[in-house]
Amino acid sequence: MSEQHKLAAAKRGAARTEKTLRQVEDAIRSIADDMANNGGIYPQNGGAVSMAEIARRAGINEATLYKKDNTALKERAALWLDTLKKKETVGRMRVRKTFQQRAESWKEKYDALQNRHIITELQLQQLQSEHEQLRRDYDALLEQMRAGSASKVTPMSRGNR
């Protein structure tokens, strides 16, 4: 193989490595975006994020990450995964627990709202009953006033002004 062929092969190899790096970086960014849009939980693969998932999202074979020429790429992905696992809910079991906790939290909120609704309904019924009683009292007082005023009030004629 001539020097020129070796140089061309090295350039092609460097271009493939650069393309693979971009694909992995895009996959990492995409996974992070998916998690950000889903309350911190990865919505695919049962919530599990791994080297295999990064490779799948990058459209490369997982073995590519473990080749000796790609140690920097593997280290980059591994560092990101370690950081992610420390600060986010990652992994099928942890995601399942998180979903269970969320469901329990929503159930508690639902029960609290249901109780508040019942209390509000009872208060409304009580106020409606009080309103009806006040309406009856008002009508009775109005009737008494009309009955008593006929004998005690004398209309004034226009000429007496």
Side-chain angles (χ1 to χ4, degrees), residues 27-86:
I28 287 172
R29 225 177 349 271
S30 179
I31 290 170
D33 289 346
D34 286 351
M35 290 178 73
N37 293 330
N38 195 43
I41 295 176
Y42 184 54
Q44 298 181 30
N45 197 26
V49 181
S50 61
M51 294 293 261
E53 185 63 12
I54 292 172
R56 185 188 72 76
R57 292 288 297 264
I60 62 173
N61 190 311
E62 184 181 1
T64 302
L65 295 171
Y66 296 99
K67 290 182 179 177
K68 66 177 181 158
D69 294 339
N70 292 330
T71 54
L73 183 62
K74 178 187 167 210
E75 287 173 5
R76 165 69 179 106
L79 177 65
W80 180 77
L81 270 176
D82 287 344
T83 304
L84 181 72
K85 288 178 181 180
K86 287 177 184 168

Side-chain angles (χ1 to χ4, degrees), residues 3-19:
E3 249 343 278
Q4 190 176 14
H5 285 136
K6 287 181 181 178
L7 188 58
K11 283 184 179 179
R12 284 192 306 274
R16 274 194 315 272
T17 300
E18 181 61 32
K19 179 183 174 194

Side-chain angles (χ1 to χ4, degrees), residues 72-159:
L73 183 62
K74 178 187 167 210
E75 287 173 5
R76 165 69 179 106
L79 177 65
W80 180 77
L81 270 176
D82 287 344
T83 304
L84 181 72
K85 288 178 181 180
K86 287 177 184 168
K87 67 178 185 172
E88 297 290 348
T89 304
V90 178
R92 287 184 174 96
M93 293 303 287
R94 289 181 69 194
V95 166
R96 208 173 294 137
K97 284 181 184 175
T98 298
F99 280 144
Q100 192 173 17
Q101 290 167 346
R102 285 183 179 181
E104 288 171 8
S105 174
W106 281 109
K107 172 115 176 60
E108 288 172 9
K109 289 176 183 176
Y110 172 80
D111 289 344
L113 283 171
Q114 189 176 31
N115 288 337
R116 185 69 224 156
H117 178 71
I118 290 169
I119 291 168
T120 303
E121 280 290 320
L122 290 172
Q123 288 172 337
L124 175 64
Q125 289 174 7
Q126 181 181 3
L127 289 173
Q128 285 173 332
S129 173
E130 290 173 11
H131 178 264
E132 289 172 15
Q133 183 61 43
L134 289 172
R135 176 57 76 183
R136 284 191 298 269
D137 292 349
Y138 171 78
D139 289 342
L141 288 171
L142 190 61
E143 190 62 35
Q144 286 176 359
M145 188 176 83
R146 285 184 183 143
S149 69
S151 63
K152 294 182 182 172
V153 176
T154 10
M156 294 175 56
S157 64
R158 291 186 176 251

